[in-house]
Amino acid sequence: SQTIHQWPATLVQPVGSPLSLECTVEGTSNPNLYWYRQAAGRGLQLLFYSVGIGQISSEVPQNLSASRPQDRQFILSSKKLLLSDSGFYLCAWSGTGGSEKLFFGSGTQLSVL
Amino acid sequence: GQNIDQPTEMTATEGAIVQINCTYQTSGFNGLFWYQQHAGEAPTFLSYNVLDGLEEKGRFSSFLSRSKGYSYLLLKELQMKDSASYLCAVRDNYGQNFVFGPGTRLSVLP
């Protein structure tokens, strides 16, 4: 069966510090991978998605970046965090078929102080 | 553009039935999904519609009308544990992007 791992679960970082969140998927090959952000009490905002190694699509211009160094590994990074980067970050994967649903990791609660 | 609307909050009584509506205007359509999200947790999949009509799964049902850009999630025999946010999402025409609505926060009262 497929599983998705995301870490860390919580993170408190000072403004201006770097960020690296990692996500890995097991039990499937060539998944579509996604990073979403959710502000408190709000909906999910798509940040990045990837359909293959090294292929990254950015939905929202900002100081975040994403990389996919391996088929089942997706990394979200920032060189300098802003206060507005605080939120709940969710990694997700889906298959490539039309009816494939989205499966989410457990999320990372990021607080930038 | 992409636009998905849902009511922000709803309240219902334990044992009752509640209907959560979702309207969408997207550049493409490859299926509509409903997710449940408890506070501080990741969303979990509830239902999927790609053809018009009603899909039933236990206490949960979801309806889709593609011509109207409309869906609803019906929750029957409400339980306290159903208090959560319910997210409507549309998969785009290329099947790569999932666009989410703002979510509806449902409170189930005793």
Side-chain angles (χ1 to χ4, degrees):
Chain A
S1 63
Q2 302 91 353
T3 56
I4 178 169
H5 303 279
Q6 182 183 344
W7 66 94
T10 59
L11 194 58
V12 180
Q13 293 284 98
V15 170
S17 64
L19 173 73
S20 181
L21 302 181
E22 188 163 343
C23 171
T24 59
V25 181
E26 296 177 356
T28 187
S29 296
N30 197 31
N32 291 340
L33 296 173
Y34 305 81
W35 278 111
Y36 284 89
R37 179 171 62 197
Q38 187 175 35
R42 305 288 295 275
L44 297 178
Q45 177 189 36
L46 179 64
L47 301 176
F48 301 96
Y49 71 91
S50 171
V51 299
I53 295 174
Q55 299 179 59
I56 309 294
S57 295
S58 174
E59 291 296 306
V60 182
Q62 56 208 327
N63 68 318
L64 299 173
S65 63
S67 62
R68 184 172 179 172
Q70 299 181 49
D71 181 44
R72 290 169 289 179
Q73 183 185 27
F74 207 22
I75 298 172
L76 182 69
S77 304
S78 174
K79 293 182 179 178
K80 288 186 177 182
L81 284 169
L82 306 173
L83 286 174
S84 58
D85 290 325
S86 293
F88 191 46
Y89 287 80
L90 288 157
C91 180
W93 77 272
S94 77
T96 55
S99 63
E100 296 280 352
K101 53 185 172 279
L102 203 58
F103 296 91
F104 288 90
S106 53
T108 297
Q109 185 63 54
L110 172 65
S111 298
V112 183
L113 306 177
Chain B
Q2 317 273 47
N3 187 48
I4 300 179
D5 285 322
Q6 305 176 233
T8 304
E9 293 189 24
M10 298 183 70
T11 302
T13 305
E14 194 175 12
I17 300 172
V18 70
Q19 177 175 312
I20 302 174
N21 296 324
C22 170
T23 57
Y24 64 90
Q25 292 175 308
T26 56
S27 56
F29 181 84
N30 201 12
L32 187 139
F33 300 77
W34 284 95
Y35 283 82
Q36 180 190 60
Q37 185 181 25
H38 286 99
E41 299 181 7
T44 55
F45 170 78
L46 286 178
S47 69
Y48 165 72
N49 296 72
V50 67
L51 300 176
D52 290 353
L54 188 68
E55 293 284 340
E56 296 187 83
K57 189 185 295 185
R59 294 190 299 115
F60 295 78
S61 303
S62 57
F63 171 83
L64 175 67
S65 169
R66 289 172 296 170
S67 62
K68 295 182 179 178
Y70 168 71
S71 173
Y72 67 72
L73 180 69
L74 193 70
L75 292 78
K76 305 175 186 175
E77 302 170 11
L78 281 173
Q79 302 175 8
M80 299 297 289
K81 67 178 182 179
D82 297 329
S83 292
S85 288
Y86 292 85
L87 310 177
C88 172
V90 172
R91 191 165 190 173
D92 71 14
N93 223 22
Y94 301 101
Q96 296 169 354
N97 194 0
F98 291 78
V99 181
F100 281 82
T104 299
R105 187 184 306 174
L106 174 66
S107 298
V108 180
L109 305 178

